[in-house]
Amino acid sequence: MTRLLACLVSLLLAACASAPPPPDWKLNAQGALEAHHGHYLDGNTRLANINYAKARAEVARTGRPDLAARVALARCGVRAAALDFDDCPDFRAVAESAATAERHYANFLSGDWTGIEAAALPEAYRLLLSRPDTGTLAEMRDPVSRLIGAGALFRQGRLPPEALGLAIDTASEHGWRRPLLAWLGVALTRAREAGDRAGAARLEARIALVESSLPR
C-alpha cells in the first residue's frame, strides 16, 4: 500500500488509535480497499472489482455518504495511475457530502484545475499545480502518486515528453502491469505517429512480454 493511498484509506480509521478497538466495518473496509488497489495495479480486474464492492458495502453499513465518497475517490485515484479515466460516477453521486479537500482532489483527477487551491490537495500534488514538469513528478517519492500526477497531466494534454519515460520506468520498477501497459501503449502510439518503426517494434515486444504474465 503506497503512502498516498494509505492516507486516503486511513481516514476511515480516524480516531482508531484510542480505545475501544475500531468496529469491524472499518477494518474490513480498509482491508478491502488495500486489496483493491493491489489487484488493480497488478491487472486483476475481477479481484479488484470484488474488493472495491466489498469496501463500498462496508461503509454503506454506516449510512454515511461522506465515507462512500472517500472510498470512491480512492478508486478513481488509482485508476488515474493507469490512464483509466471516467467521470468517477460513484464519487459524483455523493459529492455533495464529500469534504472540500476531496472535491478539490476529484477536480485534480478530472483534469479541471480551475479554482483548485494547492493547500487543499494531498501534499504530493501541490507543487504540480504551479510547476507541471518532469522534475516535479520525479521528486514525488511515492510511486503511485507519481503515476497519478502524470495521469492528471496526460488528461490535460500537458504531459512533458520526458515524463512518459518516467511513468513507464516507475510502473516497470514495481511490476505494476496495468499502468505499465497503459503507458507503454501511449509510447507506442507516439512512436508510430513519428514513423519510428524500430522504436515501435521494441515497445510492441515489451507489451507482449508484460501481457504474457497476465493471469489467464
Side-chain angles (χ1 to χ4, degrees):
M1 191 63 178
T2 62
R3 184 179 309 165
L4 174 65
L5 295 177
C7 288
L8 287 171
V9 174
S10 68
L11 291 173
L12 293 169
L13 298 176
C16 288
S18 58
D24 288 344
W25 73 263
K26 289 187 177 182
L27 297 175
N28 293 341
Q30 181 186 27
L33 263 186
E34 290 176 351
H36 164 267
H37 298 329
H39 289 307
Y40 181 84
L41 292 170
D42 192 43
N44 195 322
T45 301
R46 184 181 68 85
L47 291 180
N49 289 342
I50 287 172
N51 282 280
Y52 173 65
K54 181 178 179 180
R56 289 192 69 200
E58 290 294 333
V59 299
R61 292 167 58 180
T62 70
R64 289 180 54 183
D66 61 316
L67 294 182
R70 198 167 291 158
V71 168
L73 190 58
R75 176 177 180 264
C76 289
V78 77
R79 284 168 63 92
L83 306 180
D84 193 0
F85 301 116
D86 58 19
D87 292 328
C88 205
D90 290 344
F91 174 79
R92 299 298 174 190
V94 290
E96 292 185 0
S97 300
T100 300
E102 289 160 353
R103 295 180 196 172
H104 280 281
Y105 182 51
N107 289 337
F108 173 81
L109 295 176
S110 74
D112 180 10
W113 292 6
T114 305
I116 291 181
E117 299 176 7
L121 288 177
E123 185 177 357
Y125 306 120
R126 293 172 187 171
L127 184 58
L128 200 62
L129 291 182
S130 59
R131 202 182 77 187
D133 59 29
T134 306
T136 302
L137 292 172
E139 291 170 7
M140 294 182 183
R141 299 181 63 184
D142 178 67
V144 173
S145 298
R146 188 183 307 140
L147 290 175
I148 292 173
L153 289 178
F154 180 82
R155 194 169 194 184
Q156 286 192 320
R158 301 171 65 189
L159 184 74
E162 302 83 4
L164 178 55
L166 176 64
I168 290 172
D169 290 344
T170 299
S172 176
E173 179 181 359
H174 294 275
W176 290 330
R177 291 179 287 202
R178 190 187 300 271
L180 179 56
L181 287 171
W183 290 104
L184 285 173
V186 172
L188 177 59
T189 297
R190 293 186 177 180
R192 287 172 174 170
E193 290 175 347
D196 182 3
R197 294 184 179 181
R202 288 192 295 270
L203 289 164
E204 289 169 350
R206 290 192 69 178
I207 290 171
L209 181 59
V210 177
E211 289 178 339
S212 71
S213 74
L214 288 169
R216 297 184 181 277

